[in-house]
Amino acid sequence: MILGIETSCDDTAAALVTAEGEVRASVVSSQADLHARFGGVVPEVASRRHLELVSPVVQEALGRAEVTLDDVEAVAVTQGPGLVGALLVGLSAAKALAWARALPLVPVDHLHGHVASLYLAPDPVEPPFLCLLASGGHTLLLDVRDHSGYRVLGTSIDDAAGEAFDKGARLLGLGYPGGPALDRLARAGDPDAFSFPVARVGGLDFSFSGLKTALLYATRQLGSELESRRADLAASYQRAIVRALVERTQGAGEQTGLETVAVVGGVAANSELRASLPGARFAPMALCTDNAAMIASAGRYGRRLPYPRYLDLDAYASHG
Ligand code: KG4
Ligand code: ZN
């Protein structure tokens, strides 16, 4: 059994996963309500909340799996990328647990974690495959040849797809986090009502920052009509994001010849994206947004560091 811990942003999560990839427990304590009134994640507030939640969340996961720390053979934890203060809480908790129980520690890259959400039972995706990773912080096309890593084929040169959803939702008065709310509102709207072009950038890269400006102008032009057109705006805006993701993913499929296409990350929960890539494998809904089952899953393929090697590990904010 591997214990996974994830605290890279505003979810405090712990999970227990077997060596075969069976999820025995996955607990996610979202801080969304805490950050909603600020319209986004406040890093310092997130760190403090992780500190309060990390031990109870680990306890809850052990309880739900009906195991104790005696059944755990390794601790896997997110090392980065993410908010450094938030990451340090999970990393420190993992080091303490590993030391106290004489267990090895496996540092996990959060993005590899999202990919590894595909390796869990009962229906794991086997490499090689092309992976679209679309979350609040990242939009990447990945060439995945084995369980232990990936090669980056393309990335967003500005905003991430989830960020575009969140910023659009904010302009439409939908609160934070806006992706799921925008997804719901779009179902009642006409996706052809407005034309929101997505900037074309070279290679397999993405660009989403111009889109929110287009939405801002559209809302201003509507003036008093805005309220009655919100669903149409949401549907048209979502259509533009999904189109960009689908076009690039299909382009990457043709370029690489990879036949299996998989989609992971928070935006993989989007209903229109799921409908627009019918042949693709999507991470299960519960494992799209941040969770620790995916971190434990990635931990199965990472290097197990013995004491005292893991003590030197530091959190990192980004890959750059
Ligand atoms: O993977 P994730 O939990 O966190 C990061 O690693 O960033 O992704 C969160 C992102 C947010 O931007 C959220 O708005 C978006 O995923 N999201 C969605 C949906 N559910 C979550 N975006 C569009 N449609 C959804 N149904
Ligand atoms: Zn994530």
Side-chain angles (χ1 to χ4, degrees):
M1 198 91 67
I2 297 190
L3 169 65
I5 297 176
E6 151 68 38
T7 63
S8 68
C9 190
D10 63 340
D11 293 305
T12 318
L16 288 144
V17 168
T18 67
E20 292 75 37
E22 190 196 330
V23 183
R24 298 287 294 276
S26 176
V27 178
V28 181
S29 178
S30 168
Q31 306 179 5
D33 294 347
L34 187 66
H35 298 283
R37 65 190 157 116
F38 303 110
V41 179
V42 184
E44 189 56 29
V45 174
S47 310
R48 289 180 198 200
R49 195 79 180 123
H50 283 307
L51 205 50
E52 289 166 7
L53 289 172
V54 67
S55 292
V57 164
V58 168
Q59 288 302 332
E60 175 76 20
L62 290 166
R64 280 198 210 169
E66 296 180 353
V67 296
T68 69
L69 284 172
D70 291 338
D71 302 301
V72 173
E73 63 181 65
V75 183
V77 64
T78 309
Q79 187 184 7
L83 303 169
V84 167
L87 287 161
L88 281 173
V89 176
L91 192 56
S92 306
K95 286 179 184 177
L97 273 170
W99 176 76
R101 310 295 301 196
L103 296 169
L105 188 149
V106 192
V108 172
D109 183 88
H110 183 81
L111 305 183
H112 185 225
H114 274 297
V115 176
S117 67
L118 298 163
Y119 303 146
L120 290 162
D123 194 16
V125 180
E126 291 299 324
F129 57 88
L130 172 68
C131 187
L132 169 65
L133 190 171
S135 70
H138 298 87
T139 306
L140 296 161
L141 276 165
L142 307 171
D143 178 349
V144 183
R145 299 282 165 168
D146 60 56
H147 290 103
S148 60
Y150 52 74
R151 190 168 66 85
V152 177
L153 300 168
T155 184
S156 176
I157 59 166
D158 40 55
D159 292 353
E163 201 176 348
F165 269 104
D166 293 337
K167 287 178 175 171
R170 195 205 289 227
L171 286 172
L172 295 173
L174 295 174
Y176 169 86
L182 198 146
D183 188 351
R184 274 193 301 278
L185 181 62
R187 282 172 217 170
D190 173 8
D192 297 318
F194 296 88
S195 151
F196 290 127
V198 177
R200 290 199 154 270
V201 286
L204 292 172
D205 288 341
F206 302 87
S207 167
F208 292 106
S209 71
L211 197 56
K212 62 172 188 288
T213 316
L215 178 62
L216 175 66
Y217 289 149
T219 59
R220 280 193 188 150
Q221 262 168 22
L222 282 168
S224 60
E225 244 190 284
L226 173 61
E227 195 47 41
S228 62
R229 304 298 304 278
R230 278 171 65 233
D232 286 344
L233 285 170
S236 304
Y237 185 78
Q238 173 171 284
R239 171 63 55 90
I241 298 174
V242 168
R243 255 202 197 138
L245 293 173
V246 169
E247 274 174 19
R248 277 290 190 261
T249 304
Q250 286 169 343
E254 281 157 24
Q255 260 185 44
T256 57
L258 288 165
E259 280 166 20
T260 306
V261 176
V263 190
V264 301
V267 180
N270 184 262
S271 59
E272 186 171 346
L273 182 61
R274 291 179 98 93
S276 303
L277 284 169
R281 300 282 307 269
F282 280 80
M285 284 299 263
L287 300 179
C288 287
T289 45
D290 289 347
N291 64 87
M294 69 186 198
I295 302 304
S297 178
R300 293 184 295 149
Y301 308 102
R303 275 186 49 211
R304 294 184 172 196
L305 302 178
Y307 176 86
R309 296 245 328 266
Y310 56 75
L311 291 179
D312 289 343
L313 291 175
D314 207 353
Y316 52 87
S318 69
H319 289 134

